[in-house]
C-alpha cells in the first residue's frame, strides 16, 4: 500500500515549490533492468525527494532552473564531504530515473566521471550503492552507453558485483546489461572479468539478483568467448539447479541462457556432467509450452553433436514425451521434436540421410527470447 506525503510549501536554491506530493511504496523487485527500485529512500530526505520529483516532472519549472540544480548536484559529487556526495548521488539517480531527458542533461553536465570515481573507490556502502544506481539510470539512455564505457565504467561496475551490497550488485548487473547492448562492449565486459561475479550472483543472489544476473549473462553470452568464460566460471551447476526447480520462477530464463551456451562443446560436456539431460527431459514432459520448446531445442543441439549424447537422451526416456510434444506442442516445438525423434531412432552407424537431417535441424535450431 502506498501512503501520500504532502508538503504545502518549501524553498530550495531560491525557488519556491508548493502543493507537491509523492507516494512512498514498498520496495519491489524489478526484473527488466529498467531502473532502480522505488520507495527505498530514507524518510529524512522526503523534502529533497519531493523537490527532485518536481524538478524532474513539473511543467511549471523552467529548463534553466532544472539545469542549475543538475549542475549543483554534479558539483557536489566532487565535494570532500561524503554526506554531500551521498545526497547528490541519491538525487541524481532520482532525476535520471523519473525523466528520460534528464539522463542526457546529467551526463552532459559531467556526472559520469565523478560517479565512476565514487564506485571505484568508495568504502561507504550507501554512497557506493547510490553511485552504482545513478550509473544504471543514466545507462538507460542510448547516447550515454558508449560514453560510459569509454570513461571506464565497466571495471568499477564489476567491482560492485564483487564487493557491493545486494542492491549495488543487482544494479551493477543491470548496468552491465545496458552497456552490453552496444555490441562492441560485450567482449570488453567479458575480458574485464564480469562473467564470474555474474555467475556467483546467479547462484547465490536473491530472486531479483538471480533474474538480473541471468538477463545480463544472456546478453553477454551471445559472444563465443563469453560462453566459454561462463562455462569455466561454473555456470552450468546453477543453471541446471534452477531449471530443475519449477518453484524458482527461473526455469525459462535459465533455459534461455543454456540455449546460447550449448553451441560450444565445453558447455555440452558441462551440461552432461551436471546432470542436465534428465532435467531437460522432465521439462519436455511437464513444463509449460514455452519451456518445452526451449528444452527440446537444447536437446536437439546436444544430440546433433554425437551418438553418445543421443544414447544418454534416449536412456532417460525422452522418446514418449517427445512424441507427445510432436502432436500437442507449438509449431516450433513440434518441428524440433520430430527432428529429435528422428535422430534418436537412427541406427548407431548413421547414414547419409541422417547427416542431411542433422544439417537441416542445425540450420533451424536457434532459440530466441519470446
Amino acid at each position: 500500500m502506498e501512503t501520500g506525503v504532502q508538503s504545502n510549501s518549501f524553498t530550495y536554491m531560491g525557488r519556491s515549490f508548493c502543493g507537491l506530493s509523492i507516494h512512498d511504496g514498498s520496495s519491489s523487485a524489478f526484473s527488466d533492468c529498467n531502473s532502480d527500485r522505488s520507495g527505498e529512500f530514507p524518510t529524512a530526505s522526503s523534502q529533497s525527494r519531493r523537490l527532485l520529483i518536481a524538478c524532474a516532472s513539473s511543467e511549471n519549472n523552467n529548463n534553466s532552473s532544472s539545469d542549475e540544480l543538475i549542475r549543483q548536484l554534479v558539483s557536489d559529487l566532487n565535494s570532500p564531504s561524503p554526506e554531500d556526495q551521498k545526497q547528490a548521488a541519491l538525487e541524481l539517480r532520482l532525476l535520471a530515473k523519473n525523466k528520460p531527458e534528464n539522463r542526457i542533461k546529467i551526463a552532459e553536465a559531467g556526472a559520469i566521471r565523478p560517479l565512476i570515481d565514487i564506485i571505484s573507490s568508495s568504502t561507504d556502502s550507501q554512497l557506493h550503492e547510490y553511485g552504482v544506481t545513478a550509473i544504471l539510470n543514466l545507462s538507460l539512455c542510448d547516447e550515454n552507453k558508449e560514453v560510459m564505457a569509454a570513461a571506464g565504467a565497466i571495471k568499477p561496475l564489476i567491482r560492485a558485483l564483487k564487493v557491493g551490497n545486494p542492491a549495488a550488485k543487482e544494479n551493477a548487473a543491470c548496468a552491465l546489461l545496458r552497456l552490453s547492448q552496444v555490441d562492441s562492449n560485450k567482449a570488453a565486459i567479458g575480458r574485464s572479468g564480469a562473467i564470474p561475479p555474474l555467475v556467483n550472483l546467479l547462484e547465490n543472489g536473491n530472486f531479483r539478483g538471480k533474474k538480473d544476473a541471468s538477463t545480463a549473462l544472456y546478453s553477454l553470452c551471445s559472444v563465443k568467448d563469453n560462453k566459454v568464460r561462463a562455462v569455466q566460471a561454473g555456470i552450468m551447476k546453477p543453471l541446471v539447479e534452477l531449471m530443475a526447480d519449477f518453484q524458482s520462477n527461473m526455469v525459462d530464463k535459465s533455459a534461455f541462457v543454456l540455449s546460447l551456451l550449448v553451441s560450444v562443446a565445453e558447455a555440452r560436456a558441462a551440461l552432461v556432467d551436471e546432470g542436465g539431460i534428465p532435467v531437460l527431459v522432465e521439462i519436455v514432459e511437464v513444463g509449460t509450452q514455452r519451456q518445452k520448446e526451449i528444452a527440446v531445442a537444447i536437446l536437439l543441439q546436444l544430440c546433433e553433436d554425437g551418438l553418445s549424447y543421443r544414447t544418454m537422451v534416449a536412456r532417460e526416456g525422452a522418446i514418449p514425451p517427445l512424441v507427445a510434444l510432436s502432436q500437442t506442442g507449438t509449431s516450433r516445438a513440434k518441428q524440433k521434436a520430430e527432428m529429435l525423434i528422428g535422430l534418436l531412432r537412427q541406427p548407431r552407424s548413421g547414414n547419409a540421410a541422417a547427416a542431411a537431417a542433422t544439417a537441416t535441424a542445425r540450420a533451424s535450431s536457434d532459440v530466441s527470447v519470446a
Side-chain angles (χ1 to χ4, degrees), residues 10-17 47-48 51-52 55 69 72-73 76 87 91:
F10 60 93
T11 302
Y12 184 80
M13 293 180 67
R15 287 172 288 148
S16 295
F17 297 87
Q47 176 171 312
S48 175
L51 165 68
L52 267 293
C55 292
L69 174 61
Q72 181 60 54
L73 292 173
D76 288 346
Q87 188 67 22
E91 295 181 352

Side-chain angles (χ1 to χ4, degrees), residues 66-80:
S66 295
D67 292 348
E68 178 188 355
L69 174 61
I70 289 172
R71 285 193 297 271
Q72 181 60 54
L73 292 173
V74 171
S75 176
D76 288 346
L77 289 176
N78 295 301
S79 169

Side-chain angles (χ1 to χ4, degrees), residues 167-187:
K169 289 180 179 180
E170 293 152 9
N171 290 337
C174 287
L176 288 169
L177 165 67
R178 291 295 173 177
L179 296 185
S180 75
Q181 290 171 343
V182 177
D183 285 342
S184 60
N185 288 339
K186 294 181 192 291

Side-chain angles (χ1 to χ4, degrees), residues 101-113:
E101 295 90 331
N102 284 337
R103 296 166 192 158
I104 296 177
K105 288 184 178 182
I106 292 169
E108 290 179 344
I112 291 175
R113 184 67 260 174

Side-chain angles (χ1 to χ4, degrees), residues 40-361:
E40 60 186 349
F41 302 99
T43 303
S45 66
S46 61
Q47 176 171 312
S48 175
R49 293 163 60 200
R50 290 192 295 273
L51 165 68
L52 267 293
I53 291 175
C55 292
S57 59
S58 174
E59 295 180 358
N60 295 325
N61 293 316
N62 59 47
N63 288 334
S64 62
S65 60
S66 295
D67 292 348
E68 178 188 355
L69 174 61
I70 289 172
R71 285 193 297 271
Q72 181 60 54
L73 292 173
V74 171
S75 176
D76 288 346
L77 289 176
N78 295 301
S79 169
S81 165
E83 290 305 314
D84 288 348
Q85 289 183 310
K86 192 180 300 184
Q87 188 67 22
L90 184 153
E91 295 181 352
L92 285 168
R93 68 181 275 191
L94 186 57
L95 278 169
K97 176 179 179 178
N98 284 284
K99 191 172 182 181
E101 295 90 331
N102 284 337
R103 296 166 192 158
I104 296 177
K105 288 184 178 182
I106 292 169
E108 290 179 344
I112 291 175
R113 184 67 260 174
L115 285 171
I116 290 174
D117 290 341
I118 286 171
I119 66 176
S120 296
S121 58
S122 176
T123 57
D124 183 308
S125 176
Q126 194 173 56
L127 174 58
H128 184 251
E129 176 193 337
Y130 290 166
V132 169
T133 312
I135 287 287
L136 164 61
N137 290 348
L138 292 176
S139 73
L140 302 179
C141 172
D142 288 341
E143 289 86 344
N144 290 341
K145 291 181 173 68
E146 291 189 26
V147 176
M148 287 181 168
I154 292 173
K155 288 187 177 181
L157 287 170
I158 295 171
R159 174 182 180 268
L161 280 174
K162 297 176 180 178
V163 304
N165 64 28
K169 289 180 179 180
E170 293 152 9
N171 290 337
C174 287
L176 288 169
L177 165 67
R178 291 295 173 177
L179 296 185
S180 75
Q181 290 171 343
V182 177
D183 285 342
S184 60
N185 288 339
K186 294 181 192 291
I189 292 170
R191 285 195 306 268
S192 298
I195 303 296
L198 283 171
V199 170
N200 183 62
L201 184 60
L202 177 68
E203 185 168 15
N204 300 309
N206 59 26
F207 178 56
R208 178 183 175 231
K210 292 179 187 294
K211 292 173 73 175
D212 294 344
S214 65
T215 306
L217 286 163
Y218 183 85
S219 176
L220 292 170
C221 287
S222 62
V223 174
K224 181 179 179 180
D225 287 346
N226 287 342
K227 296 176 186 180
V228 176
R229 292 184 180 105
V231 175
Q232 292 172 342
I235 194 174
M236 203 57 65
K237 179 177 181 289
L239 286 181
V240 170
E241 289 176 349
L242 289 168
M243 287 191 303
D245 182 2
F246 285 91
Q247 303 304 313
S248 70
N249 290 320
M250 285 291 298
V251 175
D252 300 61
K253 283 183 176 290
S254 300
F256 277 126
V257 175
L258 179 57
S259 72
L260 288 180
L261 297 177
V262 292
S263 64
V264 298
E266 295 90 338
R268 295 191 290 273
L271 173 63
V272 173
D273 290 343
E274 292 295 340
I277 289 178
V279 171
L280 290 166
V281 172
E282 183 181 15
I283 293 173
V284 171
E285 187 170 8
V286 301
T288 65
Q289 288 291 349
R290 183 165 76 162
Q291 290 166 359
K292 291 179 179 182
E293 183 177 308
I294 307 168
V296 70
I298 294 170
L299 288 170
L300 180 58
Q301 291 185 72
L302 185 67
C303 289
E304 289 171 2
D305 192 44
L307 178 61
S308 62
Y309 291 143
R310 298 176 204 171
T311 302
M312 294 177 191
V313 171
R315 285 177 178 171
E316 288 298 332
I319 291 181
L322 285 170
V323 170
L325 185 62
S326 70
Q327 298 169 350
T328 62
T330 65
S331 59
R332 188 181 182 89
K334 289 178 180 178
Q335 179 190 34
K336 293 183 184 300
E338 290 170 357
M339 292 175 178
L340 183 51
I341 292 167
L343 284 176
L344 297 178
R345 287 177 170 170
Q346 286 172 11
R348 288 181 178 270
S349 60
N351 51 44
T358 300
T360 300

